[in-house]
């Protein structure tokens, strides 16, 4: 019997089993990438020795334990949770804004986080808090503040997704101008810190930071999955979703608040990392389609896989040197995104 001759319910079940298989394959690829990320780096530890050390830490000497557990493990785990957060956030933003170019950066969240971090770096001598706490807090708070401002402007104007995007683009340029002004006024040491932060780096990762981002990711993923059916309906158009009982305005506002929380928590510790939240959901969409109960976890896995692979590349492109991961994602993300556009032939 040909697939087209099967009953609709049976074909639907078969498609869902295929989507589950894709999710399983992505999870396996992610596990392999994580292990190779642990094994890569200037120290030259083999994959076998790293795996053996993870299973029996006593077999590693003191220097190797520091490398594996204090440096590489937080680095690799942070790549997973940050990439997953950006991928999950990007998928939701592309849906609620009905814009294939939407990502956590569309509304200026990354620029806001950079501004908050820059303010903390420039004026940290006036604050009692240590820099390793002040900078992420300032980045987190500034990104949330910008999200609230955009939602207030949109509510006052009464516009939809297109209005949100326009407000976000306008704020993006304003925030970037403020960051440039701070760079112009900053002293040499502060300027160097701002530039390094804006490049994006996993070097500041710790297990405590991983835990904080992981908790935010778990909570936001649970909220996103509760809205999966409504988000799927929204892909058919606002009128279609509203006719089936979806409060589009409330769905858009709650999703944007959740994505801003998720993105702010992720970027607060690693700086600016682009293209993951834009490209990851498009790859997931090609693999599993538009049904959000599969698209959301697939976007999460694709984002995590992209940043994990970028983490490996950042440590292997130039032997003995770790390139800021934001540079790697931008250099790799551009050709990948262009290839996705060309593969569709009819547009994104």
């Amino acid at each position: 019997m040909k697939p087209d001759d099967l009953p609709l319910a049976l074909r639907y079940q078969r498609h869902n089993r295929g989507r589950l298989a894709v999710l399983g394959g992505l999870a396996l690829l992610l596990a392999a990438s994580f292990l190779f990320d642990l094994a890569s780096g200037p120290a030259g530890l083999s994959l076998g020795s790293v795996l053996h050390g993870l299973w029996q830490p006593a077999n590693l000497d003191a220097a190797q334990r520091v490398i594996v557990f204090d440096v590489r493990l937080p680095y690799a785990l942070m790549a997973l949770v940050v990439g997953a957060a950006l991928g999950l956030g990007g998928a939701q933003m592309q849906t609620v804004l009905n814009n294939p170019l939407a990502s956590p950066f569309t509304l200026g969240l990354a620029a806001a986080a950079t501004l908050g971090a820059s303010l903390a770096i420039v004026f940290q001598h006036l604050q009692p808090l240590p820099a390793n706490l002040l900078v992420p807090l300032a980045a987190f708070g500034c990104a949330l503040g910008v999200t609230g401002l955009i939602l207030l402007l949109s509510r006052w104007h009464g516009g939809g997704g297109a209005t949100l995007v326009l407000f976000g683009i306008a704020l993006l340029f304003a925030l970037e101008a403020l960051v440039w002004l701070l760079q112009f006024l900053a002293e040499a040491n502060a300027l160097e810190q701002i530039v390094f932060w804006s490049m994006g780096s996993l070097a500041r990762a710790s297990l405590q930071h991983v835990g904080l981002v992981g908790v935010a990711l778990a909570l936001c993923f649970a909220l996103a999955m509760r809205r999966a059916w409504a988000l799927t309906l929204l892909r058919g158009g606002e009128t279609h979703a509203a006719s089936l009982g979806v409060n589009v305005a409330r769905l858009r506002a709650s999703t944007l608040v959740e994505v801003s929380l998720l993105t702010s928590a992720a970027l607060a510790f690693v700086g600016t990392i682009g293209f993951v939240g834009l490209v990851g959901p498009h790859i997931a969409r090609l693999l599993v389609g538009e049904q959000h109960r599969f698209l959301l976890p697939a976007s999460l896995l694709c984002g995590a896989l992209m940043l994990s692979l970028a983490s490996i590349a950042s440590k292997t492109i130039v032997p003995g040197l770790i390139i800021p991961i934001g540079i790697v994602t931008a250099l790799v993300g551009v050709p990948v995104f262009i290839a996705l556009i060309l593969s569709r032939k009819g547009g994104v």
Side-chain angles (χ1 to χ4, degrees):
M1 183 178 292
K2 295 180 181 179
D4 291 341
D5 297 331
L6 294 173
L8 181 60
L10 188 57
R11 278 188 285 163
Y12 181 73
Q13 293 175 0
R14 179 171 293 185
H15 282 305
N16 285 346
R17 285 197 295 269
R19 295 184 181 110
L20 289 173
V22 169
L23 293 179
L26 288 173
L28 289 176
L29 288 174
L30 186 59
S33 178
F34 171 72
L35 293 177
F36 278 104
D37 195 8
L38 283 178
S40 62
L45 295 176
S46 66
L47 178 60
S49 62
V50 169
L51 291 176
H52 195 54
L54 288 175
W55 183 254
Q56 294 182 324
N59 292 327
L60 298 175
D61 59 39
Q64 291 175 334
R65 279 197 297 272
V66 169
I67 292 171
V68 173
F69 290 100
D70 295 341
V71 179
R72 291 190 181 178
L73 185 61
Y75 196 103
L77 288 173
M78 185 62 90
L80 296 187
V81 294
V82 170
L86 295 177
L88 179 63
Q92 294 178 85
M93 291 197 80
Q94 288 168 10
T95 295
V96 298
L97 297 179
N98 193 27
N99 190 329
L101 296 178
S103 75
F105 294 76
T106 302
L107 300 185
L109 295 182
T114 302
L115 176 61
S118 301
L119 287 169
I121 291 170
V122 172
F123 298 109
Q124 61 183 328
H125 61 283
L126 302 177
Q127 303 293 328
L129 295 175
N132 61 350
L133 180 61
L134 178 63
V135 171
L137 281 177
F140 182 79
C142 197
L144 286 185
V146 166
T147 301
L149 177 60
I150 291 173
L151 290 175
L152 285 175
L153 288 172
S154 177
R155 184 174 181 180
W156 171 74
H157 183 271
T163 303
L164 283 170
V165 172
L166 292 175
F167 281 142
I169 292 173
L171 284 175
L172 171 64
F173 285 107
L175 293 167
E176 287 185 342
L178 290 174
V179 172
W180 296 336
L181 178 61
L182 284 174
Q183 291 178 346
F184 180 76
L185 298 175
E187 298 178 352
N189 183 44
L191 175 61
E192 182 180 347
Q193 293 181 57
I194 293 172
V195 171
F196 183 74
W197 199 93
S198 64
M199 290 180 183
S201 173
L202 300 173
R204 296 178 291 273
S206 68
L207 291 179
Q208 291 80 7
H209 296 164
V210 171
L212 290 173
V213 180
V215 169
L217 175 62
L219 292 175
C220 291
F221 180 66
L223 291 173
M225 291 303 292
R226 288 187 62 183
R227 293 192 296 263
W229 182 242
L231 290 170
T232 302
L233 292 177
L234 189 58
R235 288 297 292 175
E238 293 186 15
T239 304
H240 171 71
S243 68
L244 294 174
V246 177
N247 188 327
V248 176
R250 182 183 299 174
L251 175 64
R252 179 177 290 122
S254 62
T255 300
L256 290 177
V257 170
E258 177 247 307
V259 171
S260 67
L261 284 168
L262 181 59
T263 306
S264 303
L267 298 182
F269 298 110
V270 299
T272 304
I273 296 177
F275 277 98
V276 175
L278 175 63
V279 178
H282 283 293
I283 296 174
R285 195 170 282 111
L286 289 174
L287 293 174
V288 299
E290 293 287 357
Q291 193 173 151
H292 278 64
R293 63 176 175 144
F294 298 105
L295 176 62
L296 293 176
S299 298
L300 182 150
L301 291 171
C302 285
L305 181 59
M306 282 184 63
L307 201 56
S308 182
L309 293 173
S311 174
I312 297 172
S314 71
K315 294 182 285 186
T316 56
I317 291 176
V318 180
L321 180 66
I322 299 178
I323 300 173
I325 199 166
I327 297 176
V328 177
T329 56
L331 291 175
V332 175
V334 171
V336 170
F337 189 58
I338 291 174
L340 286 173
I341 295 173
L342 295 176
S343 68
R344 295 198 174 192
K345 295 183 181 179
V348 178

